């Protein structure tokens, strides 16, 4: 919300955020009680074979892992560039496959990639038996789920 709607990176308290959004004609709810954050997922067998539980564990595979990413995540400052900086990953560009987000699941299911970028609440994570690697260095920003509506909608 801060970067996309308010066009700022400044730290805002919940009340400041509500006030700034209201000035633009929006009302925001309190947190819905869960987050929908970025995560990296791997197939369970791949995680077991390489003893992967955290994003730090990917360093050992940095030169060989095949990574599937959505175009947006690859170029977002808080996405792949930040992930590589925080975790010291140096995955060769030829090992990174960029595609539409929804195709990432097909790619990992068909063994075209070893790891994919996901949203932590994606239903396909469980359906495909994927393992979310723990963000042990807190690279990904928190994205608490909220409702955001135009003020006329709730008046």
């Amino acid at each position: 919300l801060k970067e996309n709607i308010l066009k700022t990176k400044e730290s805002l308290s919940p009340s400041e955020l509500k006030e700034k959004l209201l000035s633009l004609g929006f009302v925001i709810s309190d947190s819905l009680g869960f987050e929908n954050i970025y995560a990296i997922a791997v197939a369970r067998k791949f995680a077991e074979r390489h003893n992967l539980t955290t994003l730090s564990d990917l360093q050992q595979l940095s030169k060989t892992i095949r990574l599937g990413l959505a175009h947006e995540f690859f170029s977002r400052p808080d996405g792949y560039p930040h992930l590589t900086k925080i975790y010291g990953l140096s995955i060769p560009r030829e090992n990174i496959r960029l595609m539409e987000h929804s195709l990432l699941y097909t790619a990992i299911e068909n063994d075209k990639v070893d790891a994919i970028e996901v949203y932590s609440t994606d239903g396909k994570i469980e359906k495909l038996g994927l393992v979310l690697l723990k963000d042990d260095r807190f690279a990904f920003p928190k994205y608490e789920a909220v409702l955001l509506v135009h003020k006329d909608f709730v008046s």
Side-chain angles (χ1 to χ4, degrees):
L1 289 173
K2 290 189 315 185
E3 291 182 22
N4 293 329
I5 295 175
L6 299 178
K7 307 292 185 211
T8 183
K9 291 184 180 191
E10 70 179 288
S11 181
L12 300 171
S13 70
S15 61
E16 290 171 322
L17 181 62
K18 285 182 179 189
E19 184 179 311
K20 287 187 181 276
L21 287 168
L22 187 58
S23 73
L24 295 173
F26 293 101
V27 176
I28 186 173
S29 72
D30 291 332
S31 172
L32 297 177
F34 66 94
E35 291 181 313
N36 189 26
I37 61 173
Y38 282 115
I40 300 296
V42 296
R44 187 166 310 284
K45 287 182 182 180
F46 187 83
E48 291 169 355
R49 182 177 36 223
H50 297 285
N51 197 28
L52 300 175
T53 58
T54 68
L55 287 173
S56 289
D57 295 336
L58 287 181
Q59 286 177 320
Q60 65 182 333
L61 301 173
S62 193
K63 300 289 186 203
T64 59
I65 195 165
R66 299 171 302 155
L67 184 61
L69 301 175
H71 295 276
E72 179 190 7
F73 182 79
F74 183 71
S75 59
R76 283 181 68 114
D78 63 344
Y80 184 70
H82 188 66
L83 183 71
T84 59
K85 179 181 174 186
I86 297 298
Y87 286 98
L89 300 175
S90 54
I91 299 170
R93 178 58 183 93
E94 62 268 15
N95 288 7
I96 300 172
R97 292 176 177 87
L98 301 179
M99 60 192 80
E100 165 62 37
H101 182 79
S102 62
L103 297 176
L104 293 170
Y105 294 98
T106 303
I108 199 165
E109 187 176 27
N110 293 327
D111 197 34
K112 301 293 184 194
V113 294
D114 302 314
I116 60 173
E117 159 255 324
V118 299
Y119 304 118
S120 62
T121 59
D122 284 349
K124 289 188 176 184
I125 295 168
E126 186 175 336
K127 181 180 179 189
L128 298 177
L130 302 178
V131 173
L132 294 182
L133 299 179
K134 184 177 190 241
D135 183 7
D136 54 314
R137 296 185 187 167
F138 309 101
F140 295 127
K142 301 287 184 189
Y143 290 112
E144 287 193 51
V146 296
L147 298 176
L148 180 68
V149 297
H150 193 272
K151 66 181 179 182
D152 292 343
F153 183 76
V154 294
S155 297

